[in-house]
């Protein structure tokens, strides 16, 4: 509806974004159920209850923080839905490191280099807590840190396993709801926000992406190979 257009305003695309998108879409993207989500992986996060992908773009909120908006995109084939998994600035994780339950992580939007962020501003449609994309390669703060939670006995975060993302600063859960949908200029996008209580709308899973193999397993395999080589030489 026309009233929805007050919530967002279009930004201006940077000169390098389109070329980056083309290069990234030519990269090797795969979906392998059961693979582990590791630090340094570039993934799409899918909202379990609506199948929307966590998404951002150079469109800012016109109210609240006026930072870059984060939405749920209804299709799986858009390059603006890729996020790179990092550790916090004060506890970085090595590429390929597996992520245990309650691991603190940051998600960097691959196209615009901003971080998945939340704070005390009100979300534009549901009046929950706003979620935005904020910062840069050189700028990140505690509002960018999320704790990964899940209910199964799995030791590490697995692709296609349902997780919740709890904002470390505010203890609110990343959420979306298909009843809150924007009009122009981002017609059909769902609002993404943070809510106090966990439920079906706070469940996400890692879908398409480039998943780095576990670095600790590689070292173990290398050590085993070296050990076998030594035995053969004796």
């Amino acid at each position: 509806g026309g009233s929805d257009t007050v919530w967002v305003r279009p930004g201006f695309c940077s000169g390098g974004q389109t070329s980056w998108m083309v290069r990234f879409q030519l990269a090797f993207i795969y979906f392998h159920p059961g693979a582990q989500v590791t630090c340094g992986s570039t993934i799409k996060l899918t909202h379990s209850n609506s199948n929307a992908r966590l998404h951002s773009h150079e469109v800012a909120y016109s109210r609240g923080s006026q930072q870059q908006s984060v939405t749920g995109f209804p299709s799986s084939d858009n390059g603006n839905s890729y996020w790179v998994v990092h550790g916090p600035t004060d506890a970085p994780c090595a590429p390929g490191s597996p992520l245990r339950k309650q691991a603190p992580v940051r998600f960097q939007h691959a196209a615009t280099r901003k971080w998945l962020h939340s704070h005390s501003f009100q979300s534009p449609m549901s009046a929950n807590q706003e979620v935005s994309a904020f910062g840069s390669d050189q700028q990140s703060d505690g509002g960018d840190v999320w704790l990964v939670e899940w209910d199964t006995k799995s030791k590490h975060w697995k692709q296609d396993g349902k997780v919740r993302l709890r904002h470390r600063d505010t203890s609110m859960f990343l959420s979306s709801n298909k009843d809150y949908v924007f009009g122009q200029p981002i017609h059909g996008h769902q609002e993404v926000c943070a809510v106090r209580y966990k439920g079906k709308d706070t469940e996400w899973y890692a879908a398409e992406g480039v998943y780095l193999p576990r670095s600790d397993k590689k070292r173990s395999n290398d050590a085993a190979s070296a050990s076998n080589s030594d035995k053969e030489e004796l």
Side-chain angles (χ1 to χ4, degrees), residues 54-128:
L54 187 70
H55 184 92
S56 193
H57 37 225
E58 292 188 347
V59 178
Y61 293 119
S62 65
R63 298 185 182 183
S65 69
Q66 299 187 348
Q67 293 172 4
Q68 183 170 298
S69 61
V70 172
T71 63
F73 189 72
S75 174
S76 64
D77 60 353
N78 191 292
N80 274 329
S81 300
Y82 286 111
W83 301 83
V84 185
V85 182
H86 294 266
T89 55
D90 57 353
C93 53
S97 299
L99 297 167
R100 291 185 176 272
K101 191 178 292 188
Q102 298 292 336
V105 294
R106 295 177 299 156
F107 298 96
Q108 187 174 35
H109 189 236
T112 63
R113 314 303 294 169
K114 296 182 183 294
W115 303 95
L116 183 68
H117 183 88
S118 193
H119 40 212
S120 59
F121 288 97
Q122 191 175 88
S123 64
M125 301 190 77
S126 64
N128 287 300

Side-chain angles (χ1 to χ4, degrees), residues 203-226:
E203 293 177 344
W204 302 78
Y205 64 90
E208 305 86 2
V210 179
Y211 289 77
L212 297 187
R214 278 182 58 170
S215 55
D216 57 341
K217 284 191 173 182
K218 183 178 185 301
R219 287 194 296 270
S220 297
N221 291 338
D222 289 346
S225 298

Side-chain angles (χ1 to χ4, degrees), residues 24-36:
F24 192 82
Q25 288 171 349
L26 291 175
F28 179 50
I29 312 300
Y30 67 93
F31 180 82
H32 180 64
Q36 291 185 4

Side-chain angles (χ1 to χ4, degrees), residues 146-176:
W146 302 80
L147 305 177
V148 187
E149 302 180 353
W150 59 86
D151 293 331
T152 68
K153 294 182 179 179
S154 176
K155 291 183 178 179
H156 299 106
W157 184 6
K158 291 184 177 180
Q159 183 182 25
D160 77 0
K162 291 181 181 179
V163 299
R164 292 181 297 273
L165 298 172
R166 181 162 58 87
H167 190 240
R168 190 173 69 174
D169 277 2
T170 64
S171 294
M172 305 283 268
F173 294 97
L174 187 71
S175 180
S176 188

